[in-house]
Amino acid sequence: AELVENGISEISLIGQNVNQYGTDNNDIPFYTLLEKVANIKKLDRINFLTSHPKDFSIEILEVMKDYPVISRAIHLPLQSGSDKILESMNRKYSVKKYLHIIENIKKLIPHYALSTDLIVGFPGEAEEDFQNTLSVISEIEYDDAFMYAYSPREGTPAFDLQETLSRDEKIARLNELITLQRDISQKKLQESEEQRLRE
């Protein structure tokens, strides 16, 4: 409120997992914080990132629905379309749960834009796991995605996992994913432009 009184018109709520706010210290939940910020007069826009699917509740979407000042750009990292890989990554959600969140977004938030993060070639990723990722991407149709090939980082839990793909194989999968997502992004952009012209 003090920032807005001093001329700030846009606020971004950020965190490694922003919607986990309040759960570690018995503070108000994130959706309540979001609503409180949305009620500040003279505020033009509110953004929040990054959301973790395991904590993305229906209450967050209900607050978004009620307050147009909250950005309709939603970044929701999927990482993989394979439950086996998600479990190995310790992501604590399934593809089914993730798709349920997407269904709720579609029901409650008109004219949203959805982006994600994706990693291919995580240790243990078989061809079937990769194909599952492509399938989920095709089903959801993200507006944009940040896509990476896995590379080991010393000190991370995944560093000790047995790699099953060569660097070239990971890059080949990444290129296939990028091609798919570019086609989807182009399609979504075209649809958005056609909608704008109709309006």
Side-chain angles (χ1 to χ4, degrees):
E2 185 177 334
L3 289 170
V4 173
E5 282 302 314
N6 284 289
I8 298 298
S9 61
E10 184 169 336
I11 297 287
S12 293
L13 306 174
I14 61 172
Q16 185 71 26
N17 173 6
V18 71
N19 38 4
Q20 198 177 39
Y21 179 89
T23 60
D24 58 348
N25 62 358
N26 295 316
D27 204 336
I28 58 174
F30 176 69
Y31 64 86
T32 302
L33 173 69
L34 189 61
E35 185 171 28
K36 283 179 177 290
V37 177
N39 274 300
I40 296 173
K41 305 301 181 189
K42 301 179 187 175
L43 189 58
D44 293 336
R45 181 168 296 275
I46 304 163
N47 309 292
F48 64 92
L49 72 160
T50 296
S51 288
H52 196 301
K54 74 181 180 69
D55 296 309
F56 198 100
S57 67
I58 189 72
E59 289 87 356
I60 293 172
L61 292 172
E62 287 169 344
V63 171
M64 291 179 68
K65 175 177 67 72
D66 292 340
Y67 293 90
V69 70
I70 302 171
S71 172
R72 269 48 186 156
I74 302 171
H75 186 73
L76 194 64
L78 171 65
Q79 304 298 7
S80 173
S82 162
D83 283 341
K84 183 187 87 176
I85 299 302
L86 290 175
E87 184 176 356
S88 185
M89 290 177 170
N90 195 30
R91 293 291 290 173
K92 300 190 186 312
Y93 58 85
S94 65
V95 172
K96 183 177 179 180
K97 178 178 179 181
Y98 188 97
L99 291 174
H100 183 65
I101 296 169
I102 302 302
E103 287 175 16
N104 285 333
I105 291 171
K106 290 178 179 179
K107 286 178 190 173
L108 294 172
I109 311 296
H111 309 301
Y112 65 89
L114 187 64
S115 59
T116 196
D117 297 335
L118 298 160
I119 296 174
V120 298
F122 193 80
E125 182 187 78
E127 179 64 26
E128 180 183 6
D129 301 310
F130 175 61
Q131 291 301 322
N132 286 342
T133 295
L134 296 181
S135 177
V136 173
I137 301 313
S138 297
E139 179 180 349
I140 293 174
E141 294 192 329
Y142 293 99
D143 294 272
D144 200 4
F146 300 92
M147 298 164 280
Y148 310 92
Y150 171 81
S151 57
R153 294 286 187 270
E154 194 167 356
T156 63
F159 185 74
D160 295 326
L161 297 176
Q162 181 70 39
E163 290 220 54
T164 52
L165 298 171
S166 68
R167 184 68 183 166
D168 286 347
E169 288 171 320
K170 287 188 277 189
I171 294 302
R173 288 185 180 181
L174 178 61
N175 287 334
E176 187 175 349
L177 179 65
I178 288 171
T179 299
L180 173 63
Q181 181 55 49
R182 278 182 178 164
D183 289 344
I184 293 170
S185 294
Q186 185 61 39
K187 174 191 167 193
K188 299 281 283 187
L189 190 62
Q190 182 67 33
E191 290 173 350
S192 177
E193 180 65 16
E194 290 170 358
Q195 177 69 27
R196 189 187 66 82
L197 291 173
R198 284 194 296 270
E199 294 173 353

